[in-house]
Amino acid sequence: MESVIVAIDGPSGTGKSSTSKAVAAKLGLSYLDTGAQYRAITWWMLSNGVDVDDADAVASAAGKPVIVSGTDPSHPTITVDGVDASGPIRTQEVTSKVSAVSAVPEVRALITDLQRSIAAGAEHGIVVEGRDIGTTVLPDADLKIFLTASPEARAARRSGELKGADVHATREALIKRDAADSSRKTSPLAKADDAVEVDTTDLTLQQVIECVVTLVEEKRAAP
């Protein structure tokens, strides 16, 4: 099979991670969760006493942690300075601070370089998911997909993942994060002009996966 680079962007709760992992596994591609990298650097900052609301402090510390992402879609891993960070990066504290850290240009530059090197080294191709993959990180990706869903559907999914979280509070948090990510000066959350938009509001996860797999297979088959 021909190597293919797939960029999947979109806000939280659209099914991005579940879809990306499943598509990569089904098509024998590598997988990269770029959001986990921003969470990892945020967790490191919080753990090392860096004031994450001070952009200058974040910028000067950005180059210190060593972040390594495993790209096996069936078992993606992430370590910071050799320590497994897959659990700690999912805490509410990290979730509430990741937009601030990821808005710092020096952080984005470092992580973007890391993402590009991982994608370039993926032998059989890769599915890369995030918020600025098609627009900034991999503007020459073979296929760009932008997942969307209504705030209500996204909140319901995210609350289900968080086991008993308040749906209304979750919806408000998602909308707040969307606003922060869409309005930041450096690499905002945005749909690339040549991306295929897939609204997942009324689709099951399996339907979304099948839709994306079809798009990738069509792209691979195209002359």
Side-chain angles (χ1 to χ4, degrees):
M1 292 289 262
E2 193 181 337
S3 174
V4 63
I5 292 178
V6 183
I8 300 185
D9 290 303
S12 301
T14 53
K16 210 166 54 209
S17 292
S18 302
T19 299
S20 299
K21 276 187 276 199
V23 169
K26 201 163 188 177
L27 296 175
L29 303 173
S30 296
Y31 160 76
L32 178 61
D33 175 358
T34 64
Q37 295 175 318
Y38 285 107
R39 285 175 171 274
I41 199 166
T42 302
W43 173 66
W44 183 91
M45 298 273 175
L46 291 167
S47 301
N48 285 274
V50 178
D51 180 357
V52 295
D53 295 313
D54 180 345
D56 290 336
V58 170
S60 63
K64 293 179 181 177
V66 177
I67 297 168
V68 178
S69 297
T71 58
D72 177 352
S74 61
H75 184 60
T77 57
I78 186 152
T79 62
V80 181
D81 296 337
V83 177
D84 177 13
S86 52
I89 64 171
R90 302 295 170 184
T91 62
Q92 186 54 45
E93 185 185 21
V94 171
T95 299
S96 67
K97 297 297 185 183
V98 66
S99 286
V101 172
S102 61
V104 176
E106 289 82 356
V107 170
R108 295 210 77 81
L110 278 164
I111 300 289
T112 295
D113 284 347
L114 177 60
Q115 291 161 358
R116 287 175 177 157
S117 67
I118 291 169
E123 191 179 348
H124 302 294
I126 191 168
V127 178
V128 183
E129 59 136 315
R131 284 171 163 72
D132 65 338
I133 310 307
T135 54
T136 301
V137 180
L138 300 169
D140 298 323
D142 300 302
L143 175 64
K144 301 173 190 175
I145 295 168
F146 193 85
L147 298 185
T148 64
S150 71
E152 291 73 23
R154 292 165 52 209
R157 289 171 189 162
R158 188 45 55 93
S159 298
E161 290 169 11
L162 299 173
K163 303 288 183 289
D166 179 86
V167 176
H168 178 72
T170 302
R171 180 179 180 275
E172 294 307 306
L174 287 173
I175 290 172
K176 186 178 177 184
R177 174 132 193 232
D178 289 350
D181 290 348
S182 302
S183 62
R184 66 174 176 240
K185 288 192 175 74
T186 307
S187 303
L189 163 65
K191 177 189 166 192
D193 292 338
D194 53 348
V196 179
E197 185 168 321
V198 178
D199 188 333
T200 70
T201 303
D202 299 316
L203 300 177
T204 64
L205 175 59
Q206 201 51 47
Q207 287 172 321
V208 179
I209 293 166
E210 286 168 7
C211 172
V212 174
V213 165
T214 300
L215 288 168
V216 177
E217 288 179 332
E218 285 173 353
K219 179 58 71 173
R220 273 179 157 174

